[in-house]
Amino acid sequence: MASEPQKIHKHILYEASVQDTEVDLNLIDRMMEKSAGRKALTLREDFSGTSVLACAWVESDPQRESWGVDLHGPTLDWAREHRLPMLGNDAERVHLLEDNVLTAKTPLVDVVAALNFSYMIFKQRDQLKSYFQSVYNSLTPGGIFLLDMFGGPHAQEVMKEKKRVPAGEDYEGTPFPEFTYVWEQAEYNAVTQDIICHIHFRGKNIVPIKKAFSYEWRLWSLMEITDILREVGFADVDPYFEGWDDETESTDGDLQIREKYENMLAWICYISAAKGMN
Ligand SMILES: C[S@@+](CC[C@H](N)C(=O)[O-])C[C@H]1O[C@@H](n2cnc3c(N)ncnc32)[C@H](O)[C@@H]1O
């Protein structure tokens, strides 16, 4: 007999579909070693949502402390209820702030991370520059700003892309069945580079969630981002791209700084912006 579709919270489905804190932590260690020759101890996760990176940060080292900043109170409350308790006493080293990343005040940190393209909410150059400037001012000498971006011809197309997410357990140990993550690029305006995207979750095992998350962004280019980061003072701005595996005809998971990259139909890269040591 077929079982009833399960109602799984959208935050659990989101984290399982798009977040991988192990990859992020690994990359941050490499970037900080390159920039400052030491391990980073403090991290601010901007646009933190359920703040899983801020949680993984304190779990990765007893000396580490983190701040998560997000405008949306209910999402932070969900993190306080479902993510922080898993940390036990380590939760004392995570500080969640309901605030705007443009104005939030935190102590100086070694790392600021703004992942899953969240900064693209700033569509005006002055606004993005002011955000990058405030990040620069929040970093310790040699500190790094980690962000990501997507591009390639497919990024400008109205389209839907599906990914099967295998059954697993969330951070709290809640099991979820196999489901489908759908990334929809619903509108793209070639004049302004404005893009409207939605995330849907579906599959026979879960109660589907249409438009679980929606984003209105500007699709910035890598050189636009790089130029603004340099303008606000970042000494080194390095893009990390995965290589290509001819045998599997997919990316190989090997994130390296690359000066030149084939314009694949769709790509994602991480950017490390390092503050100089002086
Ligand atoms: C795409 S989610 C990012 C979640 C998670 N950090 C990740 O990497 O997947 C974007 C988050 O940014 C928050 N947000 C949007 N504008 C913001 C702002 N100006 N300041 C702080 N948070 C903001 C939203 O509330 C939402 O939780």
Side-chain angles (χ1 to χ4, degrees):
M1 201 175 73
S3 54
E4 284 288 297
Q6 292 179 45
K7 195 168 180 197
I8 308 285
H9 198 288
K10 66 177 185 174
H11 289 322
I12 295 177
L13 299 174
Y14 175 88
E15 287 177 5
S17 305
V18 305
Q19 294 193 280
D20 189 339
T21 54
E22 231 180 273
V23 171
D24 301 338
L25 292 178
N26 203 294
L27 203 51
I28 289 170
D29 283 348
R30 285 170 58 197
M31 290 168 170
M32 191 68 188
E33 185 58 38
K34 177 174 184 281
S35 169
R38 68 175 175 88
K39 189 169 180 171
L41 293 180
T42 47
L43 167 133
R44 190 176 92 201
E45 182 181 8
D46 277 352
F47 310 97
S48 63
T50 60
S51 309
V52 279
L53 181 58
C55 291
W57 185 258
V58 299
E59 269 188 312
S60 69
D61 188 307
Q63 282 186 294
R64 283 182 158 173
E65 189 170 9
S66 64
W67 286 260
V69 182
D70 200 288
L71 269 183
H72 195 239
T75 305
L76 291 179
D77 287 342
W78 192 88
R80 286 187 188 100
E81 197 180 331
H82 297 280
R83 294 295 171 253
L84 294 194
M86 300 315 299
L87 299 173
N89 289 341
D90 292 345
E92 287 168 15
R93 291 179 282 118
V94 182
H95 316 280
L96 299 186
L97 309 180
E98 184 180 335
D99 211 335
N100 193 323
V101 298
L102 290 171
T103 48
K105 295 267 174 291
T106 52
L108 291 189
V109 286
D110 294 331
V111 183
V112 173
L115 294 175
N116 280 307
F117 327 119
S118 310
Y119 63 90
M120 291 192 185
I121 199 162
F122 301 132
K123 295 183 179 182
Q124 303 305 320
R125 196 178 195 282
D126 283 355
Q127 205 181 24
L128 188 67
K129 188 169 173 180
S130 134
Y131 170 55
F132 286 176
Q133 187 69 66
S134 81
V135 171
Y136 181 87
N137 295 341
S138 308
L139 288 170
T140 54
I144 55 155
F145 179 30
L146 169 66
L147 54 168
D148 54 8
M149 67 166 301
F150 65 105
H154 274 184
Q156 300 172 349
E157 273 176 22
V158 169
M159 59 97 161
K160 277 187 192 161
E161 188 181 82
K162 285 184 272 179
K163 180 172 83 173
R164 190 187 70 85
V165 181
E169 274 186 6
D170 84 333
Y171 197 69
E172 211 177 10
T174 308
F176 56 81
E178 179 186 298
F179 67 94
T180 302
Y181 158 87
V182 183
W183 172 252
E184 178 183 9
Q185 288 165 195
E187 288 178 39
Y188 178 73
N189 181 337
V191 177
T192 59
Q193 294 172 218
D194 284 357
I195 185 167
I196 297 181
C197 305
H198 308 291
I199 291 177
H200 316 284
F201 300 111
R202 61 189 190 213
K204 62 181 184 339
N205 303 315
I206 61 161
V207 175
I209 313 179
K210 211 170 167 7
K211 293 190 182 172
F213 298 97
S214 294
Y215 307 108
E216 293 194 22
W217 289 334
R218 169 167 166 181
L219 188 64
W220 292 90
S221 76
L222 180 51
M223 281 318 294
E224 284 173 316
I225 299 292
T226 303
D227 286 346
I228 304 172
L229 288 166
R230 290 207 174 109
E231 275 172 37
V232 303
F234 285 102
D236 285 312
V237 180
D238 296 323
Y240 286 69
F241 286 88
E242 290 180 339
W244 184 257
D245 185 331
D246 282 332
E247 261 175 40
T248 60
E249 295 198 347
S250 63
T251 47
D252 61 7
D254 182 22
L255 284 160
Q256 297 293 344
I257 300 171
R258 297 178 202 267
E259 301 294 331
K260 198 169 176 202
Y261 203 64
E262 196 179 319
N263 193 24
M264 292 199 288
L265 291 175
W267 49 258
I268 287 179
C269 78
Y270 284 92
I271 303 166
S272 161
K275 185 167 179 166
M277 291 299 289
N278 303 310

